[in-house]
Amino acid sequence: PNAAPTEKFKLGVDFFESLQDMREYLCAYGLPSRAKHTRISDDDMAELEQWIRSAHIKEPYEEHATTTSDRMKPKEVKNILKGLGYQFSKHFEFYLLPDTSCHKSQVGRDRFEELIDLFNHIARFGLSSSGDG
């Protein structure tokens, strides 16, 4: 708040315009190491980690929606992602974000060789849609 970026302190890395911006950053890059004398209970830490992990879930949401036992199968998830513009190659075993050229893509950035790596990318950075790349 009321801070200006400098060479040492960067907006979106060291400070944020909103709590949601910080939450999304922590979701993507993780919590920093704890200071030596930090006091936080295991329960509070678990709640904080859950809050960070759900950064890309539109609120308000029902609590049971994130812990349901009716888990979707990977095939169902892939069909939904295809509808959003994600690309899947059975022959070459890779997954691309929407609007990504196979020839210009980079593994780990917009091309993934394992489905779990794509899912982890989406969990960290949220869904991409056609036009967002």
Side-chain angles (χ1 to χ4, degrees):
N2 298 327
T6 65
E7 291 212 13
K8 185 175 178 182
F9 300 105
K10 308 265 185 258
L11 178 64
V13 176
D14 301 302
F15 64 97
F16 305 88
E17 290 183 340
S18 70
L19 186 59
Q20 182 62 24
D21 289 346
M22 181 180 74
R23 183 180 182 191
E24 290 176 7
Y25 177 86
L26 292 173
C27 183
Y29 300 104
L31 284 166
S33 302
R34 289 194 215 180
K36 283 185 179 180
H37 301 290
T38 302
R39 291 187 195 150
I40 185 168
S41 71
D42 289 343
D43 287 343
D44 286 346
M45 189 65 178
E47 282 188 42
L48 176 63
E49 289 172 347
Q50 177 60 36
W51 177 77
I52 291 168
R53 278 194 302 273
S54 61
H56 297 287
I57 297 173
K58 299 287 185 226
E59 293 187 55
Y61 62 92
E62 295 180 25
E63 236 180 84
H64 70 13
T66 58
T67 59
T68 181
S69 61
D70 300 329
R71 303 212 186 271
M72 294 177 72
K73 293 179 175 46
K75 185 177 181 179
E76 294 171 310
V77 174
K78 285 169 70 172
N79 286 335
I80 292 170
L81 292 174
K82 283 180 187 177
L84 292 173
Y86 287 78
Q87 301 171 53
F88 303 93
S89 170
K90 288 182 183 179
H91 182 68
F92 295 108
E93 287 296 317
F94 64 79
Y95 310 92
L96 295 174
L97 297 183
D99 297 329
T100 300
S101 163
C102 176
H103 302 291
K104 295 181 181 179
S105 63
Q106 292 180 348
V107 174
R109 186 185 60 139
D110 48 17
R111 182 179 73 222
F112 306 91
E113 294 176 347
E114 300 288 333
L115 188 58
I116 190 66
D117 294 332
L118 172 63
F119 290 171
N120 286 335
H121 176 86
I122 292 169
R124 289 178 71 194
F125 299 104
L127 286 169
S128 296
S129 59
S130 293
D132 292 346

